[in-house]
Amino acid sequence: FEAQEQISHTSTKSYSLNDWQGGYKSLKQEFDYWINDIEGQIPPELNGTLFRNGPGLLDINGQPIHHPFDGDGMISRITFSNGRAHFRNRFVRTAGYLEEQKAGKLLYRGVFGTQKPGGWLANAFDFKLKNIANTNIIYWGNKLLALWEAAEPHRLDPYTLETLGKEYFNGVLSEGEAFSAHPRFDPSCEFDDSKPCLVNFSIKPGLSTTFTVFELDTTGRIIRKHAHSVPGFAFIHDFAITPNYCIFFHNPVTFNPIPFVLGMRGAGECIKFQPNQPTRVIIIPRRILDKGGLRGVQILETQSGFVFHHANAFEQGNEIIIDSICYESLPEVEPESDFRQTDFDALKPGQLWRFHLNLQEQTVRRNLLESRCCEFPTLHPQKIGRSHRYLYIGAAHAPSGNAPLQAFLKIDLESGERQLWSAAPKGFASEPVFVPRPHSQREDDGWVLALVYDASRDRSDVVILDGRNFNQEPIARLHLKHHIPYGLHGNFTPE
Ligand code: 3ON
Ligand code: FE
């Protein structure tokens, strides 16, 4: 036992917890400037805007929040234009953000355990949700929308990032109705003369769960909406699409609302992973010929596991193939724990798996594609719903074990080749976004854009990596004047 302890003490890590923690501080200031501190050169053909969303505040006027997923949404906008780049960030002026900033204190409980001061008595029977608009940001149908999966989108001005109000898509969404933070962009929709469309969903949890699927045309109009009810409580953060199907992973979890009701835990802290129950894969046809009901919906079973994010799915013969980041288990968010003290070694890593869903035999077969700890997969936008050769993913520096993201990994599914660029020991990674080079043919011909927190300077960089030569030093590294707290998702809008 003593020998073992010594090994774990002397083993060198690619990061220090103290450096990692630096990326989870609030950024209260809103900036607006041309980026002048640049290493390398911004490709002149890279024109457009990278929008990013994520928690901007990790405290409300000094009162720490319990989990980063409870942080108020802050949008960053990096616009590339003829070799130059401009930065701007703005908080989404949600009703809750404005109220709390005015009061100078926490007024809302968060889903992931943030509680109002005053103990459980001050929190019991308070079911109000603060729509924090912190998870994703998309530009679709001439609208810039900040998304949070449990409520409606907020619309922002794409240039100033001013909050314009909540978006109901001409009354198709009702007050408070959810619109998930993980829409998928179908580059060529078979039902709409091969025009692009946006597919999204919402989850209404309960004893049974209602899945609603939305499809929006290029003008931003909701042109298809259908709902399906499935037995059991579900926590579903993401999904995947193919030309004909939506695929959801119904993770094996149970929900005990009592500690939430009594003010002792956030709703998200009442979710318990069930390692001995199967994952159910729910396949909903995108076009329901028979209106409503469970008709056409297929449910397959596979091993237990927890999936937040899917990389992509496609149809092949009788199968749907789907690549997803799967965790062997999901730790509960505990009221007494502090995410700032995360013991990475005690947690299971997310790993990339391929699932073959056989619709004929109604079976699922899975195989591990990548054992390195990874999260936030992305790919060429034209490959969404189609078979893909390359994936780009945020990854740990070390090839095994669980650790914070410090690198980016390119996976070539055809040759098996891997390319990795690591920002360790002082750099911490986030979601990569792939931007195709204009008029390119090859699937990996483009750039990968990402924010990297640099603990050595306590600031963040925008890195531009070459999609083809991914293990080389970045083409450009844009040094921002400040840090950006570790974020969630974003998208690139070409000029
Ligand atoms: O009954 C409950 C009601 C409710 C409103 C059920 C419930 C818990 C599902 C729910 C709300 C869920 C929400 C609001 C979920 C929000 C999730 C979120 C903001 C982010 C998820 C991120 C996932 C991952 C994998 C993040 C990884 C981050 C890193 C690797 C750090 O850099
Ligand atoms: Fe996500």
Side-chain angles (χ1 to χ4, degrees):
F1 172 74
E2 252 176 43
Q4 239 185 356
E5 200 162 66
Q6 254 188 351
I7 290 167
S8 70
H9 278 164
T10 51
S11 73
T12 48
K13 284 215 169 94
S14 64
Y15 66 96
S16 84
L17 199 62
N18 190 55
D19 283 340
W20 171 77
Q21 286 165 349
Y24 272 137
K25 297 187 301 266
S26 297
L27 175 68
K28 296 190 179 170
Q29 222 180 317
E30 296 180 316
F31 292 88
D32 196 331
Y33 60 92
W34 287 94
I35 305 169
N36 291 320
D37 188 359
I38 299 173
E39 281 176 68
Q41 232 158 33
I42 301 171
E45 323 98 279
L46 174 61
N47 288 300
T49 298
L50 175 67
F51 292 106
R52 305 269 341 141
N53 197 353
L57 292 183
L58 285 306
D59 72 284
I60 306 291
N61 201 19
Q63 291 176 262
I65 60 169
H66 188 68
H67 196 281
F69 301 169
D70 281 345
D72 288 298
M74 184 196 80
I75 311 303
S76 300
R77 169 192 191 276
I78 299 116
T79 300
F80 300 92
S81 154
N82 303 315
R84 299 189 69 201
H86 181 272
F87 179 86
R88 176 174 288 151
N89 71 308
R90 293 282 182 274
F91 279 90
V92 186
R93 263 60 179 180
T94 66
Y97 170 84
L98 292 170
E99 276 176 76
E100 289 188 328
Q101 291 306 306
K102 193 166 162 211
K105 60 178 186 194
L106 254 155
L107 300 173
Y108 287 88
R109 303 175 73 186
V111 171
F112 292 93
T114 303
Q115 300 276 48
K116 296 183 289 181
W120 65 272
L121 260 177
N123 290 278
F125 301 103
D126 181 354
F127 307 133
K128 283 194 305 290
L129 272 183
K130 178 169 72 153
N131 178 346
I132 52 178
N134 73 350
T135 313
N136 202 349
I137 175 103
I138 60 167
Y139 186 74
W140 184 263
N142 298 315
K143 287 173 185 163
L144 183 66
L145 302 172
L147 307 178
W148 185 64
E149 68 194 63
E152 61 273 69
H154 281 78
R155 186 152 79 92
L156 309 179
D157 182 298
Y159 299 99
T160 63
L161 300 182
E162 180 195 345
T163 303
L164 302 173
K166 287 192 273 189
E167 178 64 34
Y168 294 97
F169 303 105
N170 278 322
V172 179
L173 281 194
S174 52
E175 176 76 33
E177 187 176 345
F179 188 75
S180 105
H182 274 287
R184 295 278 168 177
F185 305 89
D186 183 342
S188 147
C189 180
E190 290 181 6
F191 317 131
D192 306 324
D193 309 319
S194 301
K195 286 201 293 259
C197 86
L198 179 144
V199 189
N200 199 12
F201 68 98
S202 74
I203 296 293
K204 202 168 151 210
L207 290 176
S208 67
T209 299
T210 305
F211 293 66
T212 303
V213 174
F214 306 91
E215 302 217 4
L216 282 70
D217 68 10
T218 49
T219 69
R221 220 161 39 93
I222 295 184
I223 48 172
R224 289 180 282 276
K225 179 179 179 185
H226 41 94
H228 312 270
S229 178
V230 168
F233 171 86
F235 174 24
I236 296 175
H237 173 71
D238 190 11
F239 79 142
I241 60 166
T242 67
N244 293 295
Y245 300 100
C246 297
I247 302 105
F248 300 87
F249 273 40
H250 186 169
N251 299 306
V253 294
T254 52
F255 181 68
N256 169 14
I258 292 164
F260 169 61
V261 170
L262 297 181
M264 338 240 305
R265 283 173 174 253
E269 293 173 307
C270 298
I271 296 174
K272 203 169 155 59
F273 180 70
Q274 299 298 326
N276 300 318
Q277 282 172 23
T279 292
R280 288 193 297 196
V281 181
I282 296 172
I283 304 162
I284 300 180
R286 283 178 53 187
R287 198 172 41 172
I288 303 283
L289 299 169
D290 252 74
K291 261 200 164 181
L294 264 173
R295 238 189 105 81
V297 176
Q298 301 176 67
I299 303 182
L300 312 186
E301 286 194 355
T302 180
Q303 278 113 306
S304 184
F306 195 95
V307 171
F308 278 105
H309 294 128
H310 301 286
N312 195 36
F314 58 94
E315 297 167 24
Q316 196 172 71
N318 294 327
E319 290 191 333
I320 297 172
I321 294 173
I322 177 165
D323 293 347
S324 315
I325 309 286
C326 188
Y327 297 79
E328 216 179 284
S329 67
L330 176 84
E332 279 169 81
V333 185
E334 295 287 348
E336 302 310 320
S337 69
D338 178 0
F339 76 86
R340 294 162 185 88
Q341 303 300 333
T342 299
D343 178 3
F344 284 91
D345 297 324
L347 305 174
K348 297 286 183 212
Q351 296 171 315
L352 183 69
W353 289 81
R354 170 159 287 191
F355 296 85
H356 294 255
L357 317 177
N358 190 313
L359 301 184
Q360 188 110 37
E361 292 163 11
Q362 299 278 296
T363 53
V364 180
R365 180 164 61 81
R366 67 170 200 175
N367 58 290
L368 186 63
L369 292 180
E370 177 57 55
S371 59
R372 184 188 293 263
C373 166
C374 58
E375 189 46 276
F376 297 138
T378 191
L379 77 163
H380 192 298
Q382 292 294 321
K383 295 291 173 185
I384 297 171
R386 282 84 189 154
S387 74
H388 53 280
R389 174 167 177 183
Y390 300 107
L391 291 176
Y392 297 92
I393 317 185
H397 175 80
S400 64
N402 183 52
L405 305 179
Q406 294 192 282
F408 299 97
L409 178 68
K410 175 189 180 184
I411 299 182
D412 180 342
L413 292 161
E414 210 169 283
S415 72
E417 193 198 345
R418 304 287 192 265
Q419 291 183 341
L420 182 96
W421 179 73
S422 174
K426 291 289 183 177
F428 294 87
S430 61
E431 180 192 57
V433 172
F434 182 83
V435 180
R437 184 192 306 276
H439 318 296
S440 60
Q441 299 297 315
R442 280 186 53 150
E443 190 183 323
D444 60 350
D445 191 3
W447 305 281
V448 172
L449 309 182
L451 289 169
V452 172
Y453 171 68
D454 177 0
S456 70
R457 301 182 311 119
D458 192 23
R459 302 229 187 311
S460 295
D461 291 340
V462 182
V463 299
I464 304 174
L465 292 157
D466 180 345
R468 293 184 69 170
N469 304 298
F470 200 64
N471 40 10
Q472 287 171 19
E473 280 307 299
I475 297 174
R477 227 177 147 131
L478 288 58
H479 299 299
L480 302 180
K481 296 176 190 286
H482 46 81
H483 84 293
I484 296 178
Y486 300 127
L488 292 164
H489 303 289
N491 288 280
F492 185 83
T493 302
E495 196 180 60

